[in-house]
Amino acid sequence: YISGYGAVDKEKQELQFLTVSPETPSDSMIAVSDIFSRIGDISSKQTLVLGDIDFTSENSDKSFSSNEMQSIIERNVSPLLSKNPNSSVLLGSQMNNPSRLYMSDEGEDKKHHIFPYFFAKALQERRTTLSDIYQFLERNVSYTSRRLFDRPQDPLLLGNTQLNLAGQ
């Protein structure tokens, strides 16, 4: 599970993970592709990386089209996906959607984000295949974000969608 803030290097079209906060100097950024490459080096039967990274900070560029953003994300997670065919990356939001806190209808902060809440809820409901979990997240994360904040938050799944989290 990776959580935090991200930025986009406009020239390289590379995603950067900010190690502390959006106001952090650039020397404390880590290339997302490096993170996924290192995870890909770990020997495992199957790998699932959950990412709740907010790429909508002041440091990111909102001038990319949806297709360009998708391409940038795919290029940056490919070091993992190309090394292990039984790997997947499930992101809580796309580059143009902030990762939002889950609030009650009365405005009470639930102390967690929408994406991990519904991921845990999917597991509670005994959904174990990644495709079933992703369908559940697509419906609930987006709906909840729009209901609470009137803004989208669309999860993104890349890689092997048939992983079974309950094992074989």
Side-chain angles (χ1 to χ4, degrees):
Y1 181 75
I2 302 171
S3 178
Y5 293 98
V8 180
D9 181 323
K10 294 181 240 180
E11 293 173 17
K12 296 179 188 176
Q13 291 194 352
E14 183 177 79
L15 299 176
Q16 301 285 328
F17 184 72
L18 305 174
T19 57
V20 180
S21 72
E23 296 81 29
T24 302
S26 62
D27 62 343
S28 61
M29 292 194 275
I30 301 169
V32 169
S33 59
D34 289 346
I35 294 170
F36 284 106
S37 180
R38 289 182 184 211
I39 294 170
D41 289 340
I42 299 169
S43 177
S44 67
K45 208 173 189 181
Q46 65 182 27
T47 302
L48 171 62
V49 176
L50 300 176
D52 200 15
I53 305 170
D54 188 344
F55 288 106
T56 60
S57 69
E58 294 174 13
N59 298 321
S60 67
D61 187 347
K62 298 182 193 287
S63 65
F64 294 111
S65 72
S66 292
N67 288 339
E68 288 172 317
M69 288 186 284
Q70 176 85 14
S71 176
I72 291 169
I73 292 171
E74 288 173 359
R75 191 169 39 253
N76 281 267
V77 302
S78 69
L80 167 63
L81 302 180
S82 63
K83 289 180 181 181
N84 184 348
N86 285 325
S87 62
S88 297
V89 176
L90 180 55
L91 299 174
S93 61
Q94 298 184 25
M95 281 174 45
N96 58 340
N97 306 144
S99 175
R100 301 193 186 282
L101 284 173
Y102 194 13
M103 311 279 269
S104 71
D105 289 332
E106 295 81 35
E108 175 191 355
D109 181 355
K110 295 290 189 182
K111 308 292 186 224
H112 50 74
H113 285 166
I114 296 170
F115 169 67
Y117 172 83
F118 281 108
F119 182 80
K121 189 161 178 63
L123 294 176
Q124 258 183 340
E125 293 181 4
R126 303 203 188 288
R127 297 172 191 264
T128 59
T129 61
L130 204 46
S131 58
D132 288 344
I133 292 170
Y134 182 62
Q135 288 175 352
F136 181 81
L137 293 171
E138 278 186 309
R139 282 191 315 271
N140 291 291
V141 171
S142 185
Y143 169 78
T144 303
S145 179
R146 289 179 190 279
R147 182 176 58 86
L148 294 175
F149 301 100
D150 198 26
R151 299 268 191 262
Q153 180 179 337
D154 301 312
L156 177 64
L157 176 62
L158 300 168
N160 186 339
T161 63
Q162 298 308 308
L163 292 183
N164 189 337
L165 303 185
Q168 302 291 337

